[in-house]
Amino acid sequence: MPRPPLPPYLTSGASSRAHHSLLVRLHDAISTQDEHSAIAAELDRCKRVLGVSNQSTSKVAETLVVLLHITVLQREVADGLEWALVPALQLAAGGRSLKERRIGYLFLSERLPPNHELGLLLINTIRKDLTSSTPSHVLLALHTIVKLPSHDLSPAVTPILASKPLLKHKEAAIRQRTLQALVALHLSPGAQPFPLSMSRIIKYLGAESDASVLAALLRLIGRLIKTGVHPIQTEDERVYLVERIIESARLNNVSPDRQLALDYIRLLGQILEAASDTLRAMVEQYVVARLEGLRDLKGWEGAYLLEACRLVAQHSTSSLVDPCFHLVSRLLSPTAPASSSLSPTASVLAPAPDDHVLALRCLEQLKDEAWGGRMGERQMGAVMQGLNSPDNTIRRATLKLLHQADPSLTRTTFDHLVISLRNNSDLHLPFSLPPDADIERKTRAGRTETAGRALEVAEIRTSEGITPAWAPEQAGGEYAGMIRELMDALQEGPPSEGDEVGAVWEEGVSTVLRLVQRRSKTFAGSFAREILLNPLDQETLSSSSSPPSPLPSPTLAVIRSSVACEHAALTSEEEARRALETLLSDLDTPSGSVQELVLVALLAICATASALAQSEEVVVRLKGKKADRSAYLQKRFAQALFVLEEGLLDEVVTAAKSRTLPDFLAAMIRVHASHAKTSSSRTNSGSATPPASVSANSALAFSPPAQPRQLRYDAYAPPSASTAASTVSARSGHMPRDDRSRSTSRAPAGRNRDGGGGGGGFSESPFRTSPSISAGEFALLDAEATESAGMIRHPQSNHETLGLALDGLSLDVHAQDPDPFASEDPRTPTMR
């Protein structure tokens, strides 16, 4: 007869039936709201259970486990679970089993705030467990001290922690935890003096044989020296300390293939600061003996080699250079071909990826010592081969090493990649591209991959701190020049079949803008000035084999627009005029979405110089650019011109929440809407018939047609029952969700979203009709918005909406817009 199956809660991993019930409800929840409701109901149940007087300890324990699970799912609880702290304290002190007491201690360690008043009640329980003869009880107390150190706890337990019964306990785990508890109590800011002297700690080090306790002692010594609690005052003390550490390593037979060996060599390197030559020779002799025992350089052996190379870099220990370089040469010259190589010819010199990265990091630590005639042809070939590796970790490590050796090497690498883009030759193919792809697909993928690698070179070459002589101003200007040269090469290169005219390389835009956002303000300002004010060098243009493109690069235009709005720190009116000229030329890009961004950036530049904001020349030139644009872009141009002509630019700057493109655009729409409505109402109240000189599309007046036009489509079907229900709910004050954000194209056939007109506009907003990521999204998204986990979508009513999305994140810019440009012609849809 078959045995009956076990209950589900026993096989689910839950600790109790109540825990299993919660897991089932969370699993069956169909929305986040259902999960929150289930958690709220469970919190109410747990509160009732813990509120019962004389509740059984087993029931308290299982309830605390459920609460810990809830805090993992929902970190912030409304009341902080204050009502559960007292039951947890009672369980830690009087639990019937070790398991129950451990749950009580664990809950307090996770949920008790620092220096809480209940911590005073916990002190007696901890002292009682520290003096217990049961090792598990002692470990519970020590773990709680490490997790919950406090000023009140320190004087009560320090005498017990510094006593021999714990520091020389037969259990190694207790000895290790005791040292960690002393560190937690006495090596924090404002703590009391450390109770153990350095001589006593060294004595414990010589008598210890357990690896975990030795690691705790070595780290304690290093921290005491670094923080100045027990500084080394004389050379004799330094020599004594080094001798005792080396003796401890030899007595415990610490080999380089163990993690403990890293703690020994790191502590020795820390002590060597300001040491004599005799002491350096002693440490070098010890390290060289350990390096000779390295075999396969895998795992901890490779980490030990890297620490030895760092020792060379920090203290100029010349006798370690040859042993370290010999081992690095072994990594770069494998005896057998690497199995992960891409081709049989490359496998002769290519080391395994892990060995390659380790060798590059070691050479970076050795610095100039490794390039002093020691590198053979085979080793140098393996290093240079890293530039063509499909692994970006290897490529970046190689670039750092080459730039450290000679900065001109990274410039040469960048120039070679730019020439490849201009000539469509020697392109790098991505590793994920299938071998049977057609030539056009390979060309497009190769250009994108090659441009991405050029961005890597530009980032490494201009990294702040990688070269001591690189100032942030120089780095920002150099990076801007390289980005401008790269984007122009992409624009000038021979186009591939199927390439869109005016397409934006959005991955490149994202990479550049995020790097500028991460760097310092000085770097960002220098980058913005260079990319806005200075055109491409004529020398670079003359070296190009392709004729210059008649149109500006749309990718570069998006980058310029973003940095002009956020980071431009122009110091004079002349600089503002030069930046304005650059942006006016960017308005000739064939992409309508890019033109919208450039228009917003133009207003931001005008806001930096009052003379430009009041200049008739700027208005005239914008009107000239407006003429051949689509209806949507003409509307944007009219809004910008209205703000300039009415002198409302300062109000736009004040209304903008930040200097980012979406906030500036939203502020412009709001300011235009409010003033245009006021101006329009004044005009209509003064005269029922608008003057003939005022255009029907003017921002100041709007005259509807005398007769309605005939519909170009069939009438809608009668409303269904659901529509009637929506009408009833609307009458009752509950409006249904507006569905006007649904994309419905009404543009005439044969006209794409960026088509029409010499300037290349589009009849609908490109950010709403395109199902893919739009051209300007990366520029419009704020850096903080891209890091947030979710954004609130506001309900859409009669507002103008610019919908954006990036990797699952969304950003809606809403502004009240009375839409004075609305047309009765369905062929000219407006943005809703």
Side-chain angles (χ1 to χ4, degrees), residues 402-635:
L402 294 178
H403 186 76
Q404 189 181 76
D406 186 359
S408 64
L409 294 175
T410 51
R411 181 68 217 192
T412 303
T413 304
F414 180 81
D415 292 340
H416 177 74
L417 294 171
V418 170
I419 293 173
S420 298
L421 289 172
R422 287 199 171 103
N423 301 332
N424 264 4
S425 61
D426 296 332
L427 298 175
H428 296 275
L429 296 179
F431 189 68
S432 58
L433 187 70
D436 57 346
D438 58 84
I439 187 63
E440 293 299 332
R441 182 180 177 186
K442 286 184 176 179
T443 302
R444 288 194 298 270
R447 288 178 64 83
T448 302
E449 178 71 15
T450 304
R453 296 191 181 190
L455 284 181
E456 287 180 354
V457 180
E459 178 184 351
I460 297 300
R461 177 173 171 79
T462 58
S463 296
E464 297 172 343
I466 193 172
T467 303
W470 237 187
E473 297 86 353
Q474 295 174 318
E478 176 75 9
Y479 187 68
M482 297 176 76
I483 295 303
R484 187 177 51 217
E485 186 177 347
L486 171 61
M487 298 307 171
D488 286 338
L490 282 173
Q491 185 79 353
E492 297 168 10
S496 302
E497 183 179 348
D499 284 352
E500 291 186 30
V501 177
V504 175
W505 181 32
E506 293 174 345
E507 182 182 354
V509 173
S510 173
T511 302
V512 173
L513 295 184
R514 286 175 177 171
L515 183 138
V516 173
Q517 194 74 24
R518 290 196 308 266
R519 297 286 177 86
S520 64
K521 291 183 178 180
T522 305
F523 180 96
S526 175
F527 175 85
R529 286 168 55 85
E530 176 67 24
I531 208 166
L532 284 169
L533 304 182
N534 298 327
L536 189 65
D537 296 336
Q538 296 299 321
E539 180 182 352
T540 306
L541 285 174
S542 61
S543 64
S544 174
S545 60
S546 303
S549 175
L551 297 176
S553 167
T555 304
L556 191 57
V558 174
I559 296 174
R560 281 196 186 108
S561 301
S562 181
V563 299
C565 198
E566 295 188 51
H567 304 292
L570 306 178
T571 57
S572 64
E573 181 182 337
E574 176 62 27
E575 289 186 351
R577 288 187 179 276
R578 289 169 58 189
L580 195 66
E581 289 293 334
T582 304
L583 292 175
L584 283 171
S585 65
D586 286 340
L587 280 176
D588 296 330
T589 57
S591 173
S593 58
V594 175
Q595 295 175 41
E596 185 176 26
L597 303 183
V598 175
L599 189 61
V600 178
L602 278 167
L603 291 182
I605 291 297
C606 289
T608 61
S610 58
L612 292 180
Q614 302 170 4
S615 173
E616 280 293 329
E617 180 187 357
V618 177
V619 174
V620 171
R621 296 185 67 177
L622 282 181
K623 286 182 178 179
K625 297 279 187 181
K626 171 189 173 184
D628 54 354
R629 297 304 193 267
S630 66
Y632 175 81
L633 278 178
Q634 285 187 8
K635 180 177 181 177

Side-chain angles (χ1 to χ4, degrees), residues 212-334:
S212 61
V213 185
L214 285 172
L217 285 168
L218 293 171
R219 294 168 188 172
L220 173 59
I221 295 171
R223 190 164 177 182
L224 291 174
I225 297 174
K226 183 177 181 180
T227 57
V229 176
H230 289 327
I232 302 176
Q233 298 178 351
T234 63
E235 184 67 17
D236 293 338
E237 291 182 5
R238 196 182 304 273
V239 171
Y240 174 78
L241 194 57
V242 169
E243 289 176 348
R244 297 286 76 77
I245 292 172
I246 294 177
E247 182 181 358
S248 172
R250 288 171 176 168
L251 289 176
N252 292 283
N253 195 21
V254 179
S255 58
D257 59 350
R258 298 169 59 186
Q259 184 180 4
L260 184 60
L262 300 181
D263 293 314
Y264 275 101
I265 191 173
R266 287 170 183 165
L267 180 57
L268 289 173
Q270 184 177 347
I271 298 174
L272 277 186
E273 296 179 1
S276 62
D277 295 338
T278 304
L279 193 59
R280 292 179 187 275
M282 184 189 306
V283 174
E284 291 174 5
Q285 183 180 2
Y286 166 78
V287 176
V288 168
R290 297 301 177 273
L291 290 176
E292 292 174 352
L294 299 181
R295 295 293 178 261
D296 55 358
L297 300 176
K298 303 293 184 183
W300 297 118
E301 289 192 358
Y304 194 87
L305 173 60
L306 181 59
E307 289 296 332
C309 293
R310 286 176 178 167
L311 199 65
V312 175
Q314 293 172 0
H315 306 291
S316 302
T317 50
S318 57
S319 61
L320 289 178
V321 174
D322 289 335
C324 289
F325 184 77
H326 174 71
L327 294 172
V328 172
S329 300
R330 282 174 46 187
L331 292 172
L332 294 174
S333 306

Side-chain angles (χ1 to χ4, degrees), residues 112-130:
L112 186 65
N115 299 318
H116 194 274
E117 57 185 7
L118 285 181
L120 296 175
L121 301 178
L122 188 61
I123 292 177
N124 289 334
T125 303
I126 293 177
R127 285 177 55 88
K128 178 182 175 182
D129 287 335
L130 286 177

